[in-house]
Amino acid sequence: MKQQHHGLAVFTILAYIFLLGPLIIIMATSFGEGSVLKFPPEGFSLKWYQNIFEVDMFLTTFKVTIIVALVGNLIALLLGVPAAYALSRYQFKGKGLLNSIFISPILIPGVVLGFTMLKYLVVRFQLPVYTSLLIGHIVLMMPFIIRVIGSSLSNFDYSVEEASMSLGASRLKTFFTVVLPNIRSGLIAGVLLAFLESFNNVDISVFMTGPGVSTLPIQMLTYVENYFDPTIAAISVLLMMITALLMFSIERLMGLSYFTKNN
């Protein structure tokens, strides 16, 4: 029994090394002093972090990424909240099919979804690149908004809503003053999760970007093709920190275990 316990401990340690090893290597190389990405790094320097803010392409694409993520998140929230409410509150014919349609963007491989959007939004309907990129990210974020908010609504007691309307409040007023405050944590968690997915997206963005319009992850790929310095490692460390902060916020607000259990 003790040997099995030691074997499990060794396996767990090896698994953590396998998962965290690449992240540690990237973090170490980002502080290297040499002009070429190398591990172990030579010396210690913060110049590659400084270089991030001196390269115009990174600043420009970061602004585009933030704008698309925020605007797309707002539109996805305006569409996703009523959809999640309807799917949770009512029973109607075709509910299962409608739910599958809303969730399908995260089930379909990103490359397939991105190519399909390119074919229809850009080629057939000839929409501007910025508009196509925004629509693509809205479609990407909708399932996360609907699933997380739907999880919150699944535990909401709708008798409270009925009591509010029986006391004279309209359905709309009840929704904003009773329902939304009770699912506030789910709303915030859904927004953060959708923002995170949009901010780090590559597979859809690579099809939706074009001349003069690009996102930070796509620009990072372009930079790697032409330069070999540790700047990309430095950006990756910053993105990991942002991702960890957002995931910690989601866990504090709602709990990832809760989200997994209800989906």
Side-chain angles (χ1 to χ4, degrees):
M1 190 70 179
K2 183 178 289 188
Q3 290 180 345
Q4 291 180 348
H5 178 73
H6 287 310
L8 181 60
V10 171
F11 179 79
T12 303
I13 293 173
L14 291 175
Y16 274 109
I17 293 175
F18 177 78
L19 294 173
L20 299 178
L23 303 182
I24 296 173
I25 292 174
I26 291 174
M27 186 174 296
T29 55
S30 69
F31 295 103
E33 195 170 20
S35 58
V36 178
L37 193 66
K38 182 180 179 181
F39 184 82
E42 298 177 351
F44 180 86
S45 176
L46 294 175
K47 65 179 180 179
W48 303 115
Y49 287 90
Q50 181 181 351
N51 190 50
I52 296 173
F53 302 97
E54 294 177 351
V55 179
D56 290 337
M57 66 179 90
F58 290 140
L59 298 179
T60 302
T61 54
F62 177 77
K63 292 177 183 178
V64 173
T65 305
I66 289 294
I67 292 173
V68 169
L70 292 178
V71 175
N73 212 324
L74 176 61
I75 297 175
L77 189 65
L78 293 176
L79 297 175
V81 170
Y85 177 79
L87 291 172
S88 176
R89 182 71 172 89
Y90 303 107
Q91 296 294 330
F92 52 88
K93 187 177 181 180
K95 176 180 176 179
L97 177 62
L98 189 61
N99 186 58
S100 299
I101 292 174
F102 282 134
I103 303 301
S104 61
I106 60 176
L107 302 178
I108 300 173
V111 174
V112 176
L113 185 60
F115 179 76
T116 303
M117 290 184 178
L118 172 67
K119 180 179 179 180
Y120 287 97
L121 297 180
V122 179
V123 178
R124 175 169 295 185
F125 297 109
Q126 297 184 350
L127 295 178
V129 176
Y130 217 133
T131 304
S132 301
L133 179 63
L134 181 61
I135 293 175
H137 279 247
I138 292 172
V139 172
L140 177 69
M141 289 187 279
M142 280 278 290
F144 295 94
I145 296 288
I146 292 174
R147 293 189 70 177
V148 177
I149 294 177
S151 295
S152 293
L153 287 170
S154 66
N155 287 332
F156 177 70
D157 186 1
Y158 288 102
S159 62
V160 178
E161 179 187 40
E162 295 171 358
S164 174
M165 289 187 290
S166 69
L167 293 174
S170 65
R171 180 174 293 275
L172 187 62
K173 183 178 181 181
T174 298
F175 181 78
F176 283 102
T177 59
V178 176
V179 178
L180 287 185
N182 279 279
I183 60 170
R184 185 185 298 111
S185 61
L187 282 171
I188 299 174
V191 167
L192 292 177
L193 197 60
F195 176 86
L196 189 62
E197 182 66 23
S198 173
F199 189 85
N200 293 318
N201 180 263
V202 173
D203 40 16
I204 291 180
S205 298
V206 74
F207 289 99
M208 297 290 100
T209 51
V213 179
S214 185
T215 61
L216 182 59
I218 303 303
Q219 189 59 58
M220 290 171 64
L221 291 176
T222 304
Y223 189 88
V224 169
E225 293 176 357
N226 301 286
Y227 303 94
F228 304 98
D229 58 62
T231 303
I232 293 300
I235 296 178
S236 300
V237 171
L238 293 180
L239 292 181
M240 284 190 288
M241 292 174 62
I242 293 173
T243 301
L245 179 61
L246 290 179
M247 295 305 293
F248 175 77
S249 300
I250 294 171
E251 171 63 27
R252 293 291 294 175
L253 287 168
M254 194 171 183
L256 294 177
S257 57
Y258 171 85
F259 173 72
T260 304
K261 179 180 68 175
N262 285 276
N263 287 280

